[in-house]
């Protein structure tokens, strides 16, 4: 049998035989503190609360005081941005009135962060699900269906209230048609359109990976599900169209959610909109899956987390939203020693 002769230009392994060479082959795969966003849950039940979340290891609902004491050392290790989610004891109704109440937990958190950690970039999730008595992301008609026009009007009011309180970015996660345009118009009316950016959850899929989050935010639907307004997991075309729509309406940042199962959508989005910064949300189910598997020895937590984030970067992510942010900041600091 003739011996196979390897062609010189087919010999690849010589190009990645050291850490430096592997780094050269992995351009733009670096993960830095500037790219990280830490999602945090804030409750108004007790200013000193630190409530463990069932099924969501090492994650908590923080009161305003404990939020600041938790974030302060993280800022000292390089934290640059947080994504706020409110969990409230205010009465819930069909319109989610508590979301924009002057004493709602998110507005209190914005003010506290502005006072104590003024350099921190504040992103506010904009949705109604945690504030409605039905757990859906918009206003419902009597027949239980979404009223899109009432929903986007209400979402614009919520976004404006957070912008007036002092956040840097509003991030609508509801997936209602036209909400980016409605929010931009509302920001214009209060003279904040040039000061507060909009990060659209532009390609958000109806995913099973959100389970621990819904427990954390107390936002699970009371009846039905969200498949009528979040994207079907198998749909690529709708993701393209949703991104198109939100860019046309003025979104400043785009997002794909969840992360790892949808890296093809990340690449599609970055290819089509290379000039829009793109966030990828490593959601609660992804976090818990990796955390629990590492806990039983399936793999090394640090290695698998960094691999997952590097793959998101490879696919086109500019911004990484992850519950692992505190650990990653420590790991990056260790690497500098």
């Amino acid at each position: 049998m003739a011996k196979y002769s390897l062609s010189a230009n087919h010999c690849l392994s010589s190009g990645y035989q050291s850490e430096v060479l592997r780094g050269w082959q992995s351009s733009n795969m670096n993960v830095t503190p500037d790219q990280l966003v830490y999602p945090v849950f804030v409750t108004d039940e007790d200013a000193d609360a630190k409530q463990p979340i069932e099924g969501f290891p090492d994650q908590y609902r923080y009161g305003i005081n404990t939020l600041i004491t938790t974030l302060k050392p993280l800022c000292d290790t390089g934290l640059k941005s947080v994504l706020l989610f409110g969990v409230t004891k205010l009465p819930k109704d069909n319109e989610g009135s508590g979301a924009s109440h002057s004493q709602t937990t998110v507005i209190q958190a914005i003010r506290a962060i502005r006072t104590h950690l003024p350099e921190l970039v504040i992103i506010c999730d904009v949705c109604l699900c945690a504030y409605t008595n039905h757990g859906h992301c918009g206003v419902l008609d009597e027949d239980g269906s979404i009223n899109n026009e009432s929903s986007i009007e209400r979402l614009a009011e919520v976004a404006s209230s957070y912008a007036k309180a002092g956040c840097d970015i509003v991030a609508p996660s509801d997936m209602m048609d036209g909400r980016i345009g409605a929010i931009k118009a509302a920001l214009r009316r209060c003279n904040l359109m040039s000061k507060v950016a909009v990060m659209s959850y532009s390609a958000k899929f109806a995913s099973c990976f959100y389970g621990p989050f819904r427990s954390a935010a107390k936002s699970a639907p009371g009846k039905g599900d969200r498949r009528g307004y979040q994207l079907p997991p198998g749909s690529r075309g709708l993701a393209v169209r949703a991104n198109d729509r939100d860019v046309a309406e003025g979104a400043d940042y785009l997002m794909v959610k969840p992360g790892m199962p949808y890296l093809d959508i990340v690449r599609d989005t970055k290819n089509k909109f290379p000039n829009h910064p793109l966030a990828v949300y490593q959601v609660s189910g992804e976090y818990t899956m990796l955390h629990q598997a590492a806990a039983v020895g399936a793999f090394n937590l640090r290695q698998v987390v960094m691999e997952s984030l590097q793959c998101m970067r490879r696919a086109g992510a500019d911004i990484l939203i992850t519950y692992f942010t505190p650990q990653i900041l420590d790991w990056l600091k260790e690497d500098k020693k």
Side-chain angles (χ1 to χ4, degrees):
M1 184 176 177
K3 186 176 181 180
Y4 176 71
S5 178
L6 178 67
S7 173
N9 60 350
H10 289 173
C11 181
L12 306 180
S13 57
S14 59
Y16 50 91
Q17 290 300 303
S18 74
E19 284 298 321
V20 172
L21 297 186
R22 285 189 283 274
W24 290 351
Q25 299 283 1
S26 307
S27 59
N28 298 321
M29 297 305 104
N30 59 312
V31 175
T32 71
D34 288 358
Q35 297 155 352
L36 299 173
V37 177
Y38 185 29
V40 290
F41 302 94
V42 191
T43 179
D44 56 6
E45 290 186 12
D46 177 358
D48 296 315
K50 185 179 179 181
Q51 302 171 350
I53 301 167
E54 185 177 358
F56 203 174
D58 295 338
Q59 298 300 307
Y60 304 89
R61 301 183 198 92
Y62 296 100
I64 297 299
N65 294 341
T66 48
L67 174 70
I68 299 304
T69 57
T70 298
L71 294 180
K72 177 72 167 64
L74 295 179
C75 290
D76 293 340
T77 58
L79 180 68
K80 302 296 175 63
S81 180
V82 290
L83 174 58
L84 299 180
F85 296 94
V87 185
T88 186
K89 63 182 180 182
L90 291 171
K92 298 186 178 186
D93 56 27
N94 184 41
E95 292 77 29
S97 301
S100 55
H101 191 282
S102 61
Q103 294 304 309
T104 198
T105 180
V106 172
I107 290 177
Q108 292 183 54
I110 295 168
R111 292 170 177 162
I113 293 170
R114 278 284 166 260
T115 299
H116 299 284
L117 301 167
E119 300 303 314
L120 197 60
V121 172
I122 303 172
I123 308 170
C124 291
D125 180 84
V126 177
C127 199
L128 302 183
C129 58
Y131 304 92
T132 58
N133 54 13
H134 45 71
H136 280 282
C137 301
V139 178
L140 297 187
D141 279 332
E142 290 184 2
D143 64 359
S145 64
I146 292 286
N147 184 317
N148 194 83
E149 292 304 311
S150 296
S151 297
I152 63 174
E153 179 180 353
R154 183 76 192 99
L155 290 159
E157 292 172 355
V158 174
S160 297
S161 71
Y162 297 163
K164 291 175 183 176
C167 75
D168 300 285
I169 300 173
V170 290
S173 60
D174 56 282
M175 289 301 287
M176 302 295 136
D177 292 324
R179 87 268 201 220
I180 302 301
I183 289 171
K184 281 286 189 174
L187 292 175
R188 182 192 294 274
R189 287 193 296 271
C190 56
N191 197 32
L192 289 171
M193 189 172 71
S194 62
K195 298 178 181 179
V196 177
V198 177
M199 176 183 285
S200 174
Y201 287 66
S202 51
K204 179 180 177 179
F205 290 83
S207 172
C208 295
F209 284 95
Y210 304 148
F213 173 93
R214 290 174 182 172
S215 174
K218 302 181 180 180
S219 62
K223 182 185 287 186
D225 54 43
R226 295 171 180 157
R227 289 181 295 176
Y229 45 94
Q230 295 178 0
L231 302 179
S235 174
R236 197 170 190 170
L238 277 174
V240 172
R241 292 168 62 193
N243 281 310
D244 275 337
R245 175 196 63 196
D246 291 359
V247 168
E249 291 179 13
D252 300 288
Y253 301 87
L254 302 176
M255 187 193 300
V256 175
K257 177 184 178 183
M260 284 197 297
Y262 296 91
L263 294 185
D264 59 323
I265 306 299
V266 176
R267 175 42 58 191
D268 285 348
T269 303
K270 196 60 182 178
N271 283 346
K272 186 159 190 183
F273 301 105
N275 298 319
H276 277 69
L278 177 59
V280 174
Y281 198 147
Q282 186 179 53
V283 300
S284 59
E286 296 176 79
Y287 165 89
T288 302
M289 180 173 63
L290 297 180
H291 191 288
Q292 300 289 57
V296 298
F299 37 58
N300 177 278
L301 182 63
R302 175 175 178 169
Q303 290 176 352
V304 76
V305 169
M306 296 309 293
E307 178 181 339
S308 67
L309 298 182
Q310 287 167 351
C311 290
M312 292 174 188
R313 291 280 289 134
R314 185 195 67 224
D318 304 295
I319 301 161
L320 302 166
I321 305 172
T322 173
Y323 299 96
F324 285 114
T325 293
Q327 294 98 314
I328 297 166
L329 290 171
D330 285 339
W331 296 336
L332 295 176
K333 187 175 181 180
E334 288 173 11
D335 288 343
K336 288 185 177 180
K337 291 181 179 179

